[in-house]
Amino acid sequence: MIYERLTNDLDSRFDPDVYSGRVGKGLDKALVRAQALSRCQNCAYVWRGDIRKFFESVRHDVLRSLLGGHFMYPLCDQVIGSYGVGLGRGMPIGNLTSQIFANIYLNEFDRYVRNYIKPNGYIRYGDDVAMLFANRRAAYLAERQGREYLGMVLGLEINPKNTYIGVADKICFLGHKITADTICVDDFCVKKAQERANFRNLGSYKNLRLSPELKDLLDRKILSEIETCITHPY
């Protein structure tokens, strides 16, 4: 109920190039948009990054302030207060409300990007972002500005292991290698899908652009797990 009400009231305020947790968006459209931007002449360089431990780092006081004027705030406040990782931070990964809370929280960053950094192209999917620019210097400046804003205003930190600045003719983004002509799953994600997919998280992996053979392999793996659970429930 909270998710549907907040989505109905607030989704129209979100940036059109935010693709996670929204009706009519999704991973595949984010990939297609990234490919389209990589073809543009004024999008020669990209800064790609993600937020370090985003769900654990969300500040309760900031999220409460962003929801304060909504009539659903009392219920939202109970949900926010029901989970934490210490010092008034954290949202549970996987909760339906966490999807809309994440977009409300990071909408502040989206607005900052559009109004102050002003990239030639911008995409956000969850806590993964990509910005495209005409030159390398603009990309480095954006990385510094984005890092400072996230830290000072939202209490978030760019993951130093996953930040990247380089030419945009081959973008590694959202577990895929994206060029002007192709979109394919990177080798690490293929390996992770084979090793970690189970009947609880299968949906996340099936959204990737996996080969039909690998999707069939995952389906058979999950079916085998389910049959084992039915045969040996304990």
Side-chain angles (χ1 to χ4, degrees):
M1 178 185 68
I2 294 172
Y3 173 82
E4 290 185 359
R5 185 70 266 170
L6 291 177
T7 298
N8 288 338
D9 292 349
L10 303 178
D11 186 80
S12 61
R13 303 181 189 180
F14 298 154
D15 191 279
D17 278 316
V18 170
Y19 291 88
S20 54
R22 303 179 70 187
V23 175
K25 299 288 186 174
L27 176 63
D28 202 66
K29 289 190 176 181
L31 297 172
V32 171
R33 176 61 171 159
Q35 185 181 55
L37 288 173
S38 73
R39 294 169 175 161
C40 297
Q41 290 184 349
N42 63 348
C43 294
Y45 288 85
V46 62
W47 168 42
R48 182 215 69 218
D50 62 39
I51 297 170
R52 182 177 179 272
K53 297 182 178 180
F54 169 69
F55 284 95
E56 295 179 17
S57 303
V58 167
R59 287 175 46 179
H60 289 181
D61 60 330
V62 174
L63 182 57
R64 285 186 168 108
S65 70
L66 295 173
L67 289 162
H70 198 277
F71 77 94
M72 294 285 286
Y73 175 78
L75 286 176
C76 293
D77 182 57
Q78 291 184 49
V79 174
I80 295 167
S82 70
Y83 181 88
V85 294
L87 301 176
R89 289 179 180 263
M91 292 191 304
I93 298 174
N95 269 24
L96 194 58
T97 51
S98 294
Q99 297 180 30
I100 185 66
F101 286 169
N103 277 340
I104 291 169
Y105 200 88
L106 289 173
N107 185 52
E108 301 301 298
F109 180 64
D110 301 331
R111 292 168 60 190
Y112 176 79
V113 169
R114 292 297 193 187
N115 293 324
Y116 294 96
I117 297 179
K118 298 181 180 180
N120 295 330
Y122 176 62
I123 300 171
R124 180 172 67 78
Y125 187 91
D127 63 342
D128 290 276
V129 299
M131 302 183 202
L132 293 101
F133 304 88
N135 57 71
R136 189 185 298 271
R137 181 183 178 186
Y140 274 103
L141 177 61
E143 195 266 352
R144 189 186 73 191
Q145 291 175 310
R147 187 186 298 274
E148 290 176 353
Y149 180 87
L150 286 167
M152 294 175 62
V153 178
L154 298 179
L156 303 173
E157 177 186 354
I158 292 293
N159 188 340
K161 295 181 179 179
N162 292 334
T163 189
Y164 168 80
I165 294 174
V167 294
D169 58 353
K170 187 175 182 180
I171 304 174
C172 292
F173 187 51
L174 302 175
H176 291 72
K177 296 177 182 178
I178 304 169
T179 70
D181 302 311
T182 62
I183 302 174
C184 60
V185 184
D186 66 37
D187 295 339
F188 175 76
C189 279
V190 169
K191 182 179 179 181
K192 189 165 70 170
Q194 291 173 319
E195 294 176 349
R196 302 182 186 179
N198 56 53
F199 65 88
R200 294 183 181 87
N201 63 23
L202 180 62
S204 298
Y205 290 108
K206 291 295 286 288
N207 287 331
L208 299 172
R209 289 198 173 192
L210 300 171
S211 67
E213 293 79 14
L214 183 52
K215 286 187 177 183
D216 182 62
L217 177 65
L218 294 180
D219 284 338
R220 286 187 278 112
K221 176 185 175 183
I222 303 310
L223 180 60
S224 177
E225 288 182 6
I226 293 173
E227 290 175 344
T228 300
C229 290
I230 294 173
T231 308
H232 307 285
Y234 303 106

